[in-house]
């Protein structure tokens, strides 16, 4: 059976829901791993920035696939988390001794991180519900695109 060949643009469109779903799963898992690594004293300088870039890409993909509005909550909360992290670090630099502001910002950031992780999993479920055949569509698009080359 001959597989119909598709263009690169069609390939991107057909694989977008699966890629958005995959990012919705991988971002919170990466955040959990990063948090655990930092908790145990490992320094992971670029990992946070890489996850942030993936969050932006995922947010753009949500827009492209017209994902449910609930999907946009996680990236927005993640942006807020990163902005608050800047203020947290600034308060630590300004007052290296333990201070109330740093403690409050730390608790708020931790709560936001938990919400970000939860909402990414909610987004993954919403995408799965909206695109029940996304995995099959992805596999078919990959085969059709590879057949083109």
């Amino acid at each position: 059976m001959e597989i119909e060949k598709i263009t690169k643009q069609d390939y991107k469109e057909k694989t977008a829901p699966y890629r958005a779903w995959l990012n919705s799963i991988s971002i919170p898992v990466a955040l959990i791993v990063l948090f655990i690594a930092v908790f145990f004293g490992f320094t992971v300088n670029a990992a946070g920035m890489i996850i942030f870039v993936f969050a932006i890409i995922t947010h753009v993909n949500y827009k492209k696939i017209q994902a449910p509005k609930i999907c946009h909550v996680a990236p927005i909360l993640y942006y807020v988390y990163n902005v608050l992290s800047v203020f947290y670090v600034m308060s630590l630099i300004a007052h290296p001794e333990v201070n109330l502001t740093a403690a409050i910002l730390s608790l708020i950031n931790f709560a936001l991180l938990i919400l970000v992780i939860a909402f990414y999993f909610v987004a993954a479920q919403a995408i799965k519900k909206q695109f029940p055949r996304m995995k099959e569509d992805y596999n078919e698009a990959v085969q059709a695109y590879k057949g083109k080359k």
Side-chain angles (χ1 to χ4, degrees):
M1 181 171 134
E2 182 79 21
I3 297 174
E4 183 181 325
K5 297 175 179 162
I6 62 173
T7 64
K8 188 173 187 173
Q9 185 61 33
D10 287 339
Y11 168 76
K12 286 181 178 181
E13 287 175 17
K14 290 181 189 240
T15 60
Y18 184 71
R19 285 183 287 121
W21 175 81
L22 199 58
N23 284 351
S24 295
I25 295 293
S26 60
I27 289 172
V29 169
L31 286 171
I32 291 168
V33 169
L34 182 65
F35 180 78
I36 291 171
V38 169
F39 184 74
F40 284 116
F42 294 103
T43 54
V44 280
N45 297 334
M49 186 56 79
I50 292 168
I51 295 171
F52 186 72
V53 168
F54 273 108
I56 293 170
I57 291 168
T58 303
H59 199 180
V60 170
N61 284 340
Y62 289 163
K63 194 82 164 160
K64 285 181 183 176
I65 66 171
Q66 297 175 349
K69 291 187 188 313
I70 191 77
C71 293
H72 298 280
V73 173
I76 292 169
L77 283 175
Y78 192 48
Y79 305 148
V80 172
Y81 168 82
N82 280 289
V83 169
L84 281 178
S85 293
V86 170
F87 291 115
Y88 172 66
V89 170
M90 286 176 18
S91 73
L92 286 177
I93 292 171
H95 304 286
E97 67 279 348
V98 177
N99 65 40
L100 187 60
T101 306
I104 291 171
L105 285 174
S106 176
L107 288 174
I108 291 171
N109 266 0
F110 184 69
L112 269 175
L113 183 63
I114 291 170
L115 286 174
V116 166
I117 290 168
F119 274 104
Y120 266 117
F121 285 126
V122 168
Q125 286 291 40
I127 290 169
K128 194 173 188 178
K129 188 183 259 185
Q130 183 178 356
F131 299 98
R133 280 191 38 88
M134 69 179 161
K135 178 112 178 175
E136 293 85 5
D137 292 343
Y138 175 82
N139 289 332
E140 290 169 7
V142 168
Q143 281 186 335
Y145 186 69
K146 284 184 178 179
K148 177 184 171 201
K149 287 187 170 185

